[in-house]
Amino acid sequence: MFNALTRTRDALVADMPGVTRDRQYGISRVGQRSCLLVDTGGLITNAEGIDYLTAQQVEQAIDESTTVLFLVSARDGLTADDEQIAARLRKSSREVVLVANKMDGLDEDVALADFARLGMGEPLAVTASHRRGLDTMMEAVIATLPAEVESEQQEDDEDVLRLAVVGRPNVGKSTLVNRLLGEERVLAYDQPGTTRDTIRSRLERDGRQYELIDTAGVRRRSRVTEAVEKFSTIKALQAIERAHVVVLMLDAREGLTDQDTTLLGHILEQGRALVIVLNKWDGLDPEHRKRVKSELDRKLTYVDWAQRVTMSALHGSGIQEMLDAVHRAWASALADFSTPELTRVVKAAFEAHQPPMKQGRVAKLRYAHSGGKLPPRIIIHGSRTDTIPDSYRRYLVNRFIKHFKLRGTPVFISFRNSDNPYKDRKNVLTRRQKEKRKRLKKFTGRKSRK
């Protein structure tokens, strides 16, 4: 229903109970009107553990809403859980629109008669998977909303920093997001796989606008068996692509694992600005901390441009240091470089250390200019640049990072060969040149060419 109304695929859908746990927000538009939709998890009787936390998320959604869509299954008929939910909604003082879903193939009069006992008016018959009846349903919803509810959402605001938090399961991603927002926006539970959807939240802090993206934990492919977890992983990787800056959270107690390295590879492939966060730092003794730092220094030499921050998301220590590192990374990823300055850096690097010779010749680098941002892309023009090895490319990247004092962002370099305009052009001699050439050959004793 949520995906159909928002015309997105933001909410995970699977034929199993308990897929949705967190609140998912989206915009639905009907004509000139729009409304903010909140997708919630399913409610069950006598919920415990993570189901109890899901129920709390539903309660928060009800409290902040103007109208509630009470969705029931026409195929299952009226259940005891439906009656308990209806009793709760009567106490909420919210407008309630009763909707019977999954009506395809059923007799409408027979299927809807059972729900008359709820006393919430005649239910609206819809089939969300086929979008049947949704327009009529949304017209009924819009009629319950006051005019001032209408709002617009700026999704592509250039001033909003999109910050994705990624990592393995149970490293503290949701705890960090909740700490930043100052509320229990997403479920944080001591159980791997708590977060399934990719949850986006808006935050304003110290005059800056953020879009926080909480993602599901990514495990090894061999350990992923459920289809829901596979889709969660895909959404997490898509969040990396969408983000401006990525916070890679590591569990300081376990150090850098193979799965962390795999995730880091995805971030580098997308060219995203990066901040590495060591969470749960407060629980380590000094010797353990020294060992973890030494391990990271040894294993992460290829991303030494990324700033590392130690923190405790549970207690809030290190939050400001992380945000400072995030802004440095974002500023570096958006930096402007002039062509003369880039050219001076290239020439200085070339004079200090030339690329290796190939077939007796050395590549020449003439000038450089900017090719884009997020991440910074630099295009270098020269001759025989196809012979330049990757080691020299990394050398140039380090020179750019050091000269412009970049922190937290990769730098991509592309080479362009300067074309010789006379390469395939035949030199045609004039009549006078031909006669001169003929006279010279008489003195040298060489036979003239036709």
Side-chain angles (χ1 to χ4, degrees):
M1 175 70 76
F2 179 84
N3 288 343
L5 293 177
T6 59
R7 298 182 182 275
T8 66
R9 301 180 65 182
D10 289 343
L12 281 178
V13 179
D15 190 14
M16 59 179 292
V19 173
T20 303
R21 290 171 176 169
D22 295 290
R23 287 172 287 160
Q24 181 80 269
Y25 289 77
I27 298 294
S28 177
R29 291 179 173 84
V30 181
Q32 299 299 318
R33 292 294 305 272
S34 63
C35 60
L36 182 66
L37 293 180
V38 188
D39 183 28
T40 63
L43 291 174
I44 62 174
T45 307
N46 300 325
E48 297 179 352
I50 196 167
D51 292 328
Y52 175 74
L53 297 178
T54 301
Q56 288 185 323
Q57 291 282 317
V58 178
E59 293 288 343
Q60 293 182 42
I62 294 174
D63 291 341
E64 66 186 21
S65 67
T66 303
T67 301
V68 176
L69 276 176
F70 182 18
L71 204 63
V72 294
S73 173
R75 291 190 178 277
D76 297 338
L78 185 63
T79 66
D81 287 336
D82 292 334
E83 293 179 343
Q84 290 190 3
I85 295 171
R88 165 64 182 87
L89 293 178
R90 292 190 193 98
K91 301 176 183 178
S92 67
S93 70
R94 299 293 188 269
E95 291 282 351
V96 179
V97 177
L98 181 60
V99 180
N101 192 25
K102 305 180 182 179
M103 285 295 302
D104 49 316
L106 300 180
D107 185 288
E108 184 172 320
D109 294 333
V110 175
L112 298 183
D114 198 21
F115 298 103
R117 288 188 292 166
L118 294 176
M120 292 185 167
E122 183 178 354
L124 302 176
V126 302
T127 302
S129 59
H130 299 141
R131 298 192 55 82
R132 292 174 185 168
L134 296 188
D135 292 339
T136 302
M137 181 196 72
M138 286 307 296
E139 289 175 1
V141 170
I142 293 295
T144 66
L145 301 178
E148 60 267 20
V149 171
E150 183 176 359
S151 63
E152 293 293 333
Q153 178 174 338
Q154 301 293 333
E155 294 185 356
D156 296 323
D157 192 342
E158 294 182 356
D159 295 330
V160 177
L161 193 163
R162 292 195 293 272
L163 180 63
V165 184
V166 302
R168 292 182 293 109
N170 209 31
V171 295
K173 300 182 296 298
S174 297
T175 303
L176 173 60
V177 171
N178 287 339
R179 173 65 66 173
L180 289 170
L181 294 172
E183 62 169 317
E184 294 299 317
R185 172 63 183 85
V186 290
L187 291 183
Y189 191 65
D190 190 16
Q191 171 184 314
T194 300
T195 302
R196 286 174 169 170
D197 279 301
T198 296
I199 306 298
R200 295 180 175 87
S201 307
R202 285 299 180 102
L203 169 67
E204 181 177 354
R205 183 180 175 123
D206 298 331
R208 298 178 182 270
Q209 297 288 336
Y210 302 84
E211 181 183 284
L212 302 179
I213 309 175
D214 184 23
T215 63
V218 180
R219 298 196 297 171
R220 292 182 183 178
R221 184 180 301 178
S222 59
R223 296 184 179 180
V224 178
T225 57
E226 295 183 358
V228 172
E229 188 172 355
K230 293 179 181 178
F231 288 123
S232 297
T233 301
I234 292 173
K235 283 182 171 289
L237 299 181
Q238 290 174 343
I240 293 174
E241 183 178 359
R242 175 179 170 80
H244 293 141
V245 182
V246 176
V247 170
L248 176 62
M249 290 198 74
L250 309 179
D251 189 331
R253 298 173 303 181
E254 300 179 12
L256 187 71
T257 66
D258 293 339
Q259 186 57 33
D260 294 325
T261 306
T262 302
L263 261 177
L264 183 56
H266 286 294
I267 297 170
L268 297 180
E269 285 178 6
Q270 296 298 330
R272 295 293 154 241
L274 172 67
V275 175
I276 299 175
V277 170
L278 291 168
N279 193 26
K280 307 178 184 180
W281 190 254
D282 55 323
L284 303 184
D285 57 69
E287 185 62 30
H288 195 168
R289 293 180 179 182
K290 183 179 179 180
R291 188 164 60 252
V292 170
K293 286 185 176 181
S294 176
E295 177 192 13
L296 294 180
D297 290 340
R298 186 178 71 255
K299 292 184 177 180
L300 296 181
T301 53
Y302 60 99
V303 285
D304 53 359
W305 43 263
Q307 188 168 347
R308 303 174 203 162
V309 178
T310 59
M311 67 179 299
S312 171
L314 183 63
H315 300 114
S317 61
I319 294 287
Q320 190 58 50
E321 289 81 355
M322 183 203 73
L323 290 176
D324 292 342
V326 165
H327 284 287
R328 280 193 291 270
W330 194 27
S332 296
L334 291 173
D336 288 316
F337 309 118
S338 65
T339 298
E341 192 169 9
L342 289 173
T343 302
R344 284 195 294 270
V345 175
V346 169
K347 289 184 176 180
F350 184 82
E351 292 174 359
H353 176 58
Q354 294 185 1
M357 296 180 62
K358 188 172 183 179
Q359 295 179 350
R361 308 179 75 178
V362 177
K364 301 295 183 183
L365 305 181
R366 293 186 172 86
Y367 69 96
H369 62 86
S370 177
K373 302 177 183 179
L374 282 172
R377 299 178 184 274
I378 299 172
I379 301 175
I380 302 176
H381 293 258
S383 60
R384 294 182 294 279
T385 57
D386 54 336
T387 64
I388 295 178
D390 290 338
S391 58
Y392 196 79
R393 185 192 301 268
R394 291 192 294 270
Y395 162 72
L396 291 176
V397 167
N398 291 333
R399 291 294 294 247
F400 283 120
I401 290 176
K402 183 177 180 179
H403 179 83
F404 294 105
K405 299 179 180 179
L406 303 178
R407 293 298 304 271
T409 182
V411 176
F412 288 171
I413 291 180
S414 300
F415 294 106
R416 297 287 188 274
N417 267 322
S418 300
D419 295 330
N420 182 359
Y422 302 101
K423 179 180 179 182
D424 299 319
R425 185 174 173 181
K426 186 176 180 181
N427 185 19
V428 180
L429 302 179
T430 64
R431 182 178 62 83
R432 187 174 179 179
Q433 289 174 328
K434 289 180 181 179
E435 292 176 353
K436 182 178 180 180
R437 184 178 181 183
K438 192 174 182 180
R439 290 194 303 269
L440 289 173
K441 287 181 178 180
K442 284 183 179 179
F443 292 101
T444 59
R446 295 175 59 188
K447 294 182 179 181
S448 61
R449 296 180 180 177
K450 291 183 180 181

